[in-house]
Amino acid sequence: MQTGVLRVLRATAASWWRHKELRRTGQTGQALQLERETVLRDLGYLRQAATLPNAHVICGEGGTFIHLGWTTVSTFAPIERVPLATLAVARGTPFIDIRPVTDVIAFANLPRVAWDGSVDPEPWGPGSSVSLTTYIDTVEGLGARILNDPRSHQSA
């Protein structure tokens, strides 16, 4: 693991208000233990983001979400203030920026990304499952920006 990634994760964990409060009250050992657990958990998220075929990061007005199969890591902050999501994108996880999307009704009616590889036949609706590439095609048509586009890695 790159030392820069570990440095960011450690700094993020140390900046949490709960960990700061433990240090302030002299419970340094407990703060360090919680920070180690946080870093290990976040490293696990980064590994999943790098290995799961449908893992992606999505950012909208409601916050940032890292979708990792059955696990979703989320916060109300934009990606610029979420070091874990920023690291995942920097390491190649697809990023869908839906902040430019203006048609919220069409976006709300999009199908979800399938995690087990089984996709539903068309026509799709809000309860349907589609592949990540199909989801990206659809949301891009609504104005979303895509980074680390997995479609560019597929052979024609």
Side-chain angles (χ1 to χ4, degrees), residues 99-119:
R99 291 175 287 189
V101 173
T102 56
D103 189 347
V104 293
I105 301 299
F107 179 76
N109 288 316
L110 288 178
R112 58 187 163 82
V113 175
W115 295 110
D116 58 2
S118 64
V119 296

Side-chain angles (χ1 to χ4, degrees), residues 50-68:
T51 58
L52 294 172
N54 285 333
H56 61 283
V57 176
I58 192 165
C59 179
E61 296 301 325
T64 302
F65 303 85
I66 306 172
H67 293 281
L68 305 166

Side-chain angles (χ1 to χ4, degrees), residues 24-70:
R24 189 186 69 73
T25 59
Q27 300 174 54
T28 306
Q30 187 176 1
L32 288 172
Q33 177 61 33
L34 289 174
E35 289 165 13
R36 272 191 293 277
E37 291 171 6
T38 300
V39 168
L40 289 174
R41 183 202 63 214
D42 288 352
L43 283 172
Y45 291 151
L46 287 175
R47 284 188 192 103
Q48 285 182 313
T51 58
L52 294 172
N54 285 333
H56 61 283
V57 176
I58 192 165
C59 179
E61 296 301 325
T64 302
F65 303 85
I66 306 172
H67 293 281
L68 305 166
W70 294 108

